Amino acid sequence: MDEASRAAPWLSIIGIGEDGLAGLGTAALAALAGAETVFGGARHLRLASGGITGEARPWPSPFSIAPVLALRGQRVAVLASGDPMWHGAGASLLREIPAHEARVFPQASAASLAAARLGWPLAEATTLSLHGRDIALLRPHLHPGARLILLTSGAEAPAAIAALLAGSGFGDSRLTLLEALGGPEERLRTASAAGFALAALHPLNTLAVEVVAAPDATWLPRAPGLPDALFAHDGQLTKREARALALSALRPFPGGLLWDVGAGAGSIGIEWMLAHPACRAIGIEAREDRAARAAANAAALGVPGLRLVVGEAPTAFTGLPAPDAIFLGGGANDPGVFDAALAALKPGGVFAAHAVTLETEALLLARHAALGGEMLRINLARAEAVGSMTGWRAAMPVTQWVWRKP
């Protein structure tokens, strides 16, 4: 569609701060006044009340943009905090309608305001939304010297975040609580994570964290191959070195979906999701106890969104979204699993399987002969005590087959 044939925008998405109408530009004020219907949270509608001439409608609970879309073509305005395209309603709306149907009037985001108050270069800080989300998502970002700007959920969240930090070996981290940024009630207070005891918190707050790690703190490395000790397991665990090679072969990418078939402790799916916040994974595990353990590992390691499906493959594949990658760590010899997994994989997707038994290795060799791909033998030995001395103890060799679907 060319520019001349496009209809005028019907939707105005207006960022508003704690300073209310005083912070809006002329164009945003005109869009607000010209709207037949204005949507927003109760706080936003109150801040903008003097400039609304149409019907003011609070968001439904639970939140939904459906009422806005139902008025498509009418003059509609939506109020959102700060920059509506940064974890805001604007981003949700423009996933559903073309950009040319809306005008967006952004203001400074909470992250921008926090960086300005603290004197932090915004590009050097990690910004993360924990608003309405599990605070365990913070875990992968805890590294010595990191600067974090966190969007929170209400007055209780900062204390919960401080407790997570203190319980993970980061109790000396410096926290700055930034309350009601940009408005008359703005306030900044500081505390350590371990000594956090701030009271009467404003529900609209942002938390800045300067991460300090204790000598014995464990943080999650950026490279694949987390230490085995970080995973609770019953022996069904893809060991660190083999896991790193598997992740390298699977090639995680933002938005990619992995099936971890025979998930065991969930290590492959967890590390796939740690590669990027947008990575998704489904662990398929026949045993309920192992699936529960994998879910607990995922939460502890900062990827609580790992989905666990309890059931026998290939029956458990039914109804699952098609994956971009599959790791087959168990069940390769079960009837139908191999063929069903290969059939489910998207074109261009990557399939990787490990074998430690001769029977499974023979299956991988046959697939390699028929379909091609890459074969790798992983032989490892670790130095261990032998009486009063030290010697090499060989681990069971692992055969890896990797194939990319045409």
Side-chain angles (χ1 to χ4, degrees), residues 4-46:
S5 62
R6 289 180 174 178
W10 59 273
L11 178 62
S12 298
I13 305 172
I14 302 169
I16 189 166
E18 288 300 286
D19 52 358
L21 296 177
L24 298 184
T26 302
L29 288 169
L32 181 65
E36 299 168 295
T37 309
V38 179
F39 290 88
R43 180 173 58 86
H44 297 142
L45 294 173
R46 183 176 66 255

Side-chain angles (χ1 to χ4, degrees), residues 1 93 118 134 160 221 241 247 257 267 309 323 336 343 346 355-356 361 366:
M1 179 184 294
L93 285 160
L118 297 168
D134 194 325
E241 297 83 359
L247 267 295
L257 173 64
S267 62
V309 174
K346 288 182 182 178
V356 294
E361 182 182 75

Side-chain angles (χ1 to χ4, degrees), residues 193-262:
F196 190 89
L198 302 180
L201 275 62
H202 195 290
L204 183 65
N205 63 75
T206 300
L207 191 65
V209 182
E210 296 171 88
V211 179
V212 178
D216 59 348
T218 299
W219 58 87
L220 305 183
R222 291 295 187 183
L226 295 180
D228 294 342
L230 293 180
F231 298 93
H233 63 91
D234 60 1
Q236 293 298 309
L237 174 73
T238 302
K239 299 301 190 293
R240 180 179 63 181
E241 297 83 359
R243 190 181 336 118
L245 289 169
L247 267 295
S248 175
L250 289 165
R251 301 191 299 180
F253 64 93
L257 173 64
L258 169 78
W259 284 6
D260 183 4
V261 182

Side-chain angles (χ1 to χ4, degrees), residues 1-394:
M1 179 184 294
D2 59 36
E3 292 293 334
S5 62
R6 289 180 174 178
W10 59 273
L11 178 62
S12 298
I13 305 172
I14 302 169
I16 189 166
E18 288 300 286
D19 52 358
L21 296 177
L24 298 184
T26 302
L29 288 169
L32 181 65
E36 299 168 295
T37 309
V38 179
F39 290 88
R43 180 173 58 86
H44 297 142
L45 294 173
R46 183 176 66 255
L47 288 168
S49 60
I52 297 173
T53 61
E55 178 190 3
R57 290 180 57 179
W59 290 115
S61 181
F63 174 81
S64 171
I65 61 171
V68 177
L69 300 178
L71 299 180
R72 193 171 188 171
Q74 301 182 34
R75 296 194 309 278
V76 178
V78 166
L79 296 169
S81 295
D83 185 347
M85 301 305 293
W86 190 64
H87 300 295
S92 299
L93 285 160
L94 291 180
R95 292 189 187 102
E96 303 298 327
I97 65 172
H100 68 265
E101 294 190 19
R103 295 176 299 171
V104 181
F105 302 92
Q107 286 207 67
S109 67
S112 293
L113 291 172
R117 301 295 189 269
L118 297 168
W120 291 4
L122 186 55
E124 297 175 12
T126 296
T127 59
L128 183 66
S129 176
L130 299 177
H131 182 71
R133 307 173 75 195
D134 194 325
I135 63 170
L137 293 167
L138 177 62
R139 186 72 178 86
H141 302 281
L142 299 179
H143 302 108
R147 286 178 165 180
L148 314 176
I149 298 175
L150 310 176
L151 295 185
T152 65
S153 290
E156 296 77 23
I161 293 169
L164 184 151
L165 290 165
S168 304
F170 301 93
D172 289 335
S173 297
R174 176 184 173 88
L175 308 187
T176 302
L177 184 70
L178 305 104
E179 301 169 272
L181 281 169
E185 298 180 23
E186 178 176 315
R187 179 170 61 171
L188 275 67
R189 293 185 282 172
T190 62
S192 69
F196 190 89
L198 302 180
L201 275 62
H202 195 290
L204 183 65
N205 63 75
T206 300
L207 191 65
V209 182
E210 296 171 88
V211 179
V212 178
D216 59 348
T218 299
W219 58 87
L220 305 183
R222 291 295 187 183
L226 295 180
D228 294 342
L230 293 180
F231 298 93
H233 63 91
D234 60 1
Q236 293 298 309
L237 174 73
T238 302
K239 299 301 190 293
R240 180 179 63 181
E241 297 83 359
R243 190 181 336 118
L245 289 169
L247 267 295
S248 175
L250 289 165
R251 301 191 299 180
F253 64 93
L257 173 64
L258 169 78
W259 284 6
D260 183 4
V261 182
S267 62
I268 294 291
I270 289 169
E271 293 222 40
W272 171 278
M273 294 182 69
L274 285 171
H276 190 275
C279 285
R280 300 166 296 139
I282 299 174
I284 299 155
E285 173 54 54
R287 286 178 44 173
E288 289 190 11
D289 60 330
R290 287 178 176 165
R293 190 180 294 115
N297 284 334
L301 295 172
V303 287
L306 174 66
R307 178 181 172 188
L308 272 301
V309 174
V310 179
E312 297 278 354
T315 305
F317 299 165
T318 303
L320 298 182
D324 300 287
I326 294 177
F327 178 73
L328 184 58
N333 287 11
D334 294 342
V337 171
F338 224 118
D339 289 334
L342 294 181
L345 187 64
K346 288 182 182 178
V350 178
F351 183 94
H354 281 184
V356 294
T357 66
L358 294 176
E359 291 80 4
T360 306
E361 182 182 75
L363 180 60
L364 299 189
L365 289 168
R367 295 287 177 166
H368 178 259
L371 299 174
E374 299 178 359
M375 294 291 291
L376 180 70
R377 172 65 65 84
I378 305 167
N379 289 295
L380 296 169
R382 291 182 174 84
E384 296 184 3
V386 181
S388 61
M389 305 183 75
T390 304
W392 292 106
R393 186 178 299 279

Side-chain angles (χ1 to χ4, degrees), residues 387-404:
S388 61
M389 305 183 75
T390 304
W392 292 106
R393 186 178 299 279
M396 290 184 67
V398 177
T399 300
Q400 175 179 279
W401 177 56
V402 178
W403 175 73
R404 188 172 185 182

